[in-house]
Amino acid sequence: MRHLLIYAFLFLTATVTAQNAIIRGNVFDGETGEPIAFGTIQLLGPEGLMKGENTDIDGFYSFANLPVGEFTLIATYIGYDSTAISVSIAVENEIEYRRINLKSGGVSLTTVDVSARREQARSDVAVSKVTFSSEQIMSLPATGGEPDIAQYLTVLPGVVSTGDQGGQLYIRGGSPVQNKLLLDGMTIYNPFHSIGLFSVFETEAIRSADVYTGGFNAEYGGRISAIVDIKTREGDKKHFAGLVSASPFQAKVLVEGPIKPLNPETGSSMSFLLTGKKSLLPETSKTLYDYAVQDNFFNLGDTSALQGSDIGLPYNYQDLYGKISLVGGNGSKLNVFGFNFTDDFEVPNLARLNWTNNGGGASFNIVPPSSNVVIDGVISTSVYDLALMEQTGDPRSSQVANYTAQLNFTYFGGETEIAYGFDFNGLNTNFTFLNPLGITFTQEDFTTELNGYVKYKRKFGKLIFEPGFRAQYYASLNTISLEPRLGLKFNATDNVRFKAAGGLYSQNLISTQNDLDIVNFFNGFLVGPERQIFDSDGVTPTEDNLQKAVHGIAGVEIDVNSRLTFNIEGYYKGFNQLIELNRNKLRATDPDFVAIDGVAYGGDISAEYRYGRVLLAGNYSLGYVTRTDAVAEYPTSFDRRHNVNAYGTYIFGADNAWEFGFRYNFGSAFPFTQTIGFVEDPDVSTQPVLPNILTGNGDLGVLLSPDRNGGRLSDFHRLDLSLQRTFTFGDRARLEITASVTNAYNRENIFYVDRISNERVNQLPILPSLGATFYW
């Protein structure tokens, strides 16, 4: 493995050093210093030379293999004045860096034309990939007037949510542990709070988010289903600015500004960004939403101890994030960041679940002055602690400490782009669980992963060819996983694009959730076992102890006209080997883990219409998700056959000061394993066992149907509405007042049914709210 990576590195280094003249640079907003992502750059050169590119998320562009001569760069982006600059190449192999500052052209960014995004779609494979920014998140109706990525993700095709409570997302058949969520390159193990409407991320701090629902290429690894890659922005480089916000749900604050103001000549700066938010629901719901408290938490079995108590909706959370950014004049930059996220969900005398996630790190981007290779990387560490204490007194706990170092190289060579890199990932897990049979499971482990990848991108006329290869070495298992990947796009016409992607994937991280659970807030983590495990037949030993999957995806993008676009995709995910905690362990000698397999397949169709101040969008997903163990094939607890999303916004009034938005979701019923009867569990704590028909009654046990997940709960559907009014004060200050209604027609969506009491517990009822956000 080590020699393979060394040879690959030497080969790629030799390859990328052969080059001709290069013109590269970054495009920025001239007022704020923020990079212009997906802007259009046109290069005009000698003898009629003409090339075009789109900037990346950092505003970076690069033109390689250029001859000696005079060139003109033209940068354009909707809402800004076009800017042209001259560049002279005097000798071969010369590298010229040009920073381009765009000046606002006075066009409202709410009327952004989609041409830049469509041009990006023509040059990027982007199979099963959705990219969005904080502006798009804030355009949707928001619960409590508080827009959040947790609410936005649920409207994406292929994404299934458990609802208002629990905060779990399932992406095209993958469970939460099979989806990797990255914040500035660092893995976040629990990004969503117990109330599933809010995440740990601050919306206004997000620069971009890329969601890969499958078929992702070799730069990503360690998960077998999906990737969510979130990048935050730098703080304001010229002015001290910020916001304060309050609603019945939460209060938040964001403060940013220059430590060393932006130098307009060199482009260098140093800035900071601090964010924080805290839940207000435990207090505000006592008076505003007391009906929701009664409906949701006085139906949880025996709650006599709660009667007359002064409790609110028990979703208590707090998130803190800070970042310092140093930006150099040639596009290089260094970011240092840290965070502390906490969540505390407690129903007195019943259960308490709390978790903390804290960590920090540094990310960097280096643009060498004498090479066409751009270097970036991340160094980070984090600790996630989770604990559950139930009324029975049987605690569960899970801790995962993560250490990461990553180094990436990207070579830009005209029609060719080569990316390669290496990363080290260390995991330290500590897990304790007592199953219903009284058997305690514990695991303390430390493991490392050493990984390397290479991705090649080449344009052949209308075809974009993007093969990749990743090698994952799992040290504790002494196993190497070789994972080829491939992405293709064919631009049949200017308006029709065919695409396909696929590959092999693996991971070592395991979740403690089980498909027999109707509802489970506890989601612990542990690494794969080092001892031998067996296939679902219980006899055949597995080749290794990894979880593995194969993806195959194909689709088409259609631009009907300048306003309407369609995206159609079909997908298949074969989960060739999945490893689960053996919760039915009866003896200490029984295996701790069991191996199963599964499959997920289906398709999505999505449409988006943009015209002026109107946005209408929607999608439909058809999905089948099954697992197979030694007994039978069965649907998973998140097997949602049909899922429909529709959402839109309309901006109106003088100075576009009003904005109306709606969001609707329909999801067909989730499966569950039905209860067929009850049985007495006798008290065998004393010897000898002397049953007494008057006083010796044991606990009530539940008999489950042998048809696993053979029943279905009721369908889910919900409508959210919002109306926002903006007041402006001068050039930089504004106040946004937002009235919103979550679950507008008060649909009683089921959360779960208590098996013993047969009491139904619903998702959150209608929740009207009024919130305000002041920006300066």
Side-chain angles (χ1 to χ4, degrees), residues 404-601:
T404 301
Q406 185 177 32
L407 190 62
N408 303 304
F409 304 83
T410 305
Y411 163 74
F412 299 91
E415 298 296 318
T416 299
E417 182 179 315
I418 300 175
Y420 57 101
F422 314 90
D423 66 83
F424 164 85
N425 188 37
L427 283 175
N428 193 351
T429 60
N430 189 340
F431 177 78
T432 302
F433 170 75
L434 183 68
N435 74 3
L437 300 173
I439 304 297
T440 300
F441 174 90
T442 61
Q443 185 199 64
E444 287 188 65
D445 204 353
F446 177 78
T447 185
T448 58
E449 301 173 8
L450 299 174
N451 315 304
Y453 77 91
V454 59
K455 184 179 73 171
Y456 176 82
K457 180 179 178 181
R458 179 64 187 265
K459 296 179 181 179
F460 298 96
K462 295 182 177 181
L463 176 67
I464 304 174
F465 178 61
E466 193 175 75
F469 182 82
R470 187 175 184 90
Q472 295 250 150
Y473 175 64
Y474 299 93
S476 64
L477 305 178
N478 193 27
T479 301
I480 298 177
S481 178
L482 304 179
E483 303 171 5
R485 315 277 177 85
L486 178 64
L488 299 168
K489 174 166 282 187
F490 180 71
N491 292 288
T493 69
D494 286 342
N495 299 319
V496 178
R497 302 173 289 277
F498 296 96
K499 55 186 178 179
L504 302 181
Y505 305 86
S506 69
Q507 76 176 69
N508 191 28
L509 195 67
I510 298 173
S511 170
T512 61
Q513 281 193 328
N514 189 287
D515 281 329
L516 286 177
D517 295 327
I518 295 181
V519 60
N520 186 359
F521 283 118
F522 183 81
N523 187 16
F525 297 97
L526 57 161
V527 296
E530 298 180 20
R531 67 182 64 179
Q532 180 67 60
I533 61 173
F534 297 88
D535 282 335
S536 57
D537 60 11
V539 177
T540 307
T542 60
E543 293 183 3
D544 53 52
N545 292 356
L546 291 176
Q547 301 191 88
K548 298 178 179 179
V550 57
H551 294 187
I553 302 168
V556 59
E557 301 167 356
I558 303 172
D559 301 332
V560 178
N561 51 43
S562 61
R563 303 170 185 175
L564 179 63
T565 62
F566 284 95
N567 183 71
I568 305 170
E569 289 186 356
Y571 67 90
Y572 172 88
K573 291 181 181 179
F575 299 103
N576 305 326
Q577 181 166 288
L578 299 173
I579 300 174
E580 289 189 348
L581 188 66
N582 185 8
R583 292 195 172 193
N584 296 320
K585 182 174 179 175
L586 298 175
R587 311 170 192 85
T589 56
D590 289 345
D592 293 330
F593 298 90
V594 293
I596 64 172
D597 55 53
V599 66
Y601 59 94

Side-chain angles (χ1 to χ4, degrees), residues 83-234:
T83 300
I85 62 173
S86 298
V87 184
S88 178
I89 298 294
V91 296
E92 293 184 356
N93 297 323
E94 182 178 354
I95 297 179
E96 290 288 336
Y97 178 90
R98 289 295 184 271
R99 173 188 175 90
I100 303 176
N101 293 320
L102 296 185
K103 183 180 179 182
S104 175
V107 179
S108 172
L109 293 183
T110 57
T111 60
V112 169
D113 189 87
V114 296
S115 60
R117 290 193 298 158
R118 291 185 178 179
E119 184 59 36
Q120 185 73 12
R122 296 185 184 102
S123 60
D124 190 2
V125 172
V127 179
S128 296
K129 177 185 177 183
V130 179
T131 298
F132 55 90
S133 64
S134 60
E135 287 79 9
Q136 290 164 279
I137 298 173
M138 290 188 287
S139 69
L140 283 185
T143 299
E146 301 284 358
D148 194 281
I149 192 173
Q151 301 169 42
Y152 190 87
L153 288 172
T154 61
V155 305
L156 300 182
V159 177
V160 171
S161 170
T162 55
D164 311 324
Q165 305 177 75
Q168 299 294 332
L169 294 181
Y170 299 86
I171 302 179
R172 280 187 173 173
S175 61
V177 73
Q178 296 159 1
N179 308 319
K180 176 178 281 189
L181 197 146
L182 300 168
L183 175 63
D184 291 327
M186 178 168 51
T187 302
I188 302 296
Y189 288 92
N190 192 352
F192 306 112
H193 288 295
S194 297
I195 183 169
L197 302 169
F198 299 104
S199 71
V200 300
F201 312 111
E202 189 53 65
T203 301
E204 285 83 358
I206 294 174
R207 170 175 292 162
S208 71
D210 294 325
V211 179
Y212 300 84
T213 57
F216 45 93
N217 216 303
E219 67 268 36
Y220 296 106
R223 295 295 188 275
I224 59 174
S225 183
I227 302 291
V228 180
D229 191 355
I230 297 173
K231 294 181 174 61
T232 60
R233 62 180 178 85
E234 295 94 28

Side-chain angles (χ1 to χ4, degrees), residues 275-322:
T275 71
K277 66 171 176 278
K278 182 173 177 56
S279 170
L280 301 179
L281 269 177
E283 298 302 323
T284 58
S285 60
K286 294 177 184 179
T287 54
L288 297 178
Y289 308 124
D290 59 322
Y291 58 92
V293 179
Q294 295 291 328
D295 291 344
N296 283 59
F297 298 104
F298 285 89
N299 288 328
L300 298 173
D302 180 13
T303 57
S304 57
L306 299 180
Q307 302 302 323
S309 62
D310 184 26
I311 70 167
L313 290 173
Y315 303 108
N316 193 14
Y317 57 85
Q318 177 178 287
D319 302 321
L320 301 172
Y321 178 82

Side-chain angles (χ1 to χ4, degrees), residues 474-753:
Y474 299 93
S476 64
L477 305 178
N478 193 27
T479 301
I480 298 177
S481 178
L482 304 179
E483 303 171 5
R485 315 277 177 85
L486 178 64
L488 299 168
K489 174 166 282 187
F490 180 71
N491 292 288
T493 69
D494 286 342
N495 299 319
V496 178
R497 302 173 289 277
F498 296 96
K499 55 186 178 179
L504 302 181
Y505 305 86
S506 69
Q507 76 176 69
N508 191 28
L509 195 67
I510 298 173
S511 170
T512 61
Q513 281 193 328
N514 189 287
D515 281 329
L516 286 177
D517 295 327
I518 295 181
V519 60
N520 186 359
F521 283 118
F522 183 81
N523 187 16
F525 297 97
L526 57 161
V527 296
E530 298 180 20
R531 67 182 64 179
Q532 180 67 60
I533 61 173
F534 297 88
D535 282 335
S536 57
D537 60 11
V539 177
T540 307
T542 60
E543 293 183 3
D544 53 52
N545 292 356
L546 291 176
Q547 301 191 88
K548 298 178 179 179
V550 57
H551 294 187
I553 302 168
V556 59
E557 301 167 356
I558 303 172
D559 301 332
V560 178
N561 51 43
S562 61
R563 303 170 185 175
L564 179 63
T565 62
F566 284 95
N567 183 71
I568 305 170
E569 289 186 356
Y571 67 90
Y572 172 88
K573 291 181 181 179
F575 299 103
N576 305 326
Q577 181 166 288
L578 299 173
I579 300 174
E580 289 189 348
L581 188 66
N582 185 8
R583 292 195 172 193
N584 296 320
K585 182 174 179 175
L586 298 175
R587 311 170 192 85
T589 56
D590 289 345
D592 293 330
F593 298 90
V594 293
I596 64 172
D597 55 53
V599 66
Y601 59 94
D604 307 316
I605 180 171
S606 58
E608 182 180 274
Y609 176 84
R610 289 176 179 265
Y611 179 65
R613 295 174 290 180
V614 175
L615 164 65
L616 294 173
N619 54 72
Y620 166 74
S621 297
L622 173 69
Y624 297 82
V625 189
T626 62
R627 299 287 187 262
T628 304
D629 60 13
V631 179
E633 180 183 23
Y634 58 91
T636 66
S637 59
F638 52 90
D639 174 42
R640 173 162 280 173
R641 187 72 65 247
H642 307 283
N643 198 59
V644 178
N645 288 292
Y647 56 96
T649 59
Y650 175 59
I651 300 171
F652 62 97
D655 300 322
N656 294 329
W658 291 88
E659 181 174 346
F660 169 77
F662 76 92
R663 176 178 58 188
Y664 175 78
N665 173 234
F666 169 85
S668 58
F670 284 131
F672 76 104
T673 302
Q674 294 171 302
T675 301
I676 60 174
F678 302 94
V679 64
E680 179 183 352
D681 291 334
D683 183 4
V684 295
S685 60
T686 60
Q687 295 293 337
V689 179
L690 299 174
N692 186 312
I693 60 172
L694 296 178
T695 64
N697 292 329
D699 295 330
L700 189 64
V702 177
L703 289 177
L704 299 180
S705 168
D707 185 13
R708 188 168 180 177
N709 285 339
R712 293 273 172 171
L713 301 171
S714 58
D715 295 338
F716 174 97
H717 50 89
R718 193 182 82 192
L719 174 67
D720 300 338
L721 303 171
S722 70
L723 181 65
Q724 182 181 97
R725 174 69 161 92
T726 301
F727 302 88
T728 57
F729 309 96
D731 294 332
R732 300 185 56 82
R734 72 181 190 274
L735 174 66
E736 294 178 352
I737 305 294
T738 305
S740 67
V741 181
T742 302
N743 195 4
Y745 52 84
N746 201 26
R747 160 72 176 178
E748 292 186 344
N749 290 304
I750 190 170
F751 186 28
Y752 70 94
V753 176

Side-chain angles (χ1 to χ4, degrees), residues 34 47 194 259 333 336 347 352 404 413 508 568 693 719 764:
E34 278 292 295
E47 300 180 2
S194 297
I259 300 174
K333 60 182 178 180
V336 180
V347 181
R352 180 183 182 186
T404 301
N508 191 28
I568 305 170
I693 60 172
L719 174 67
L764 295 175

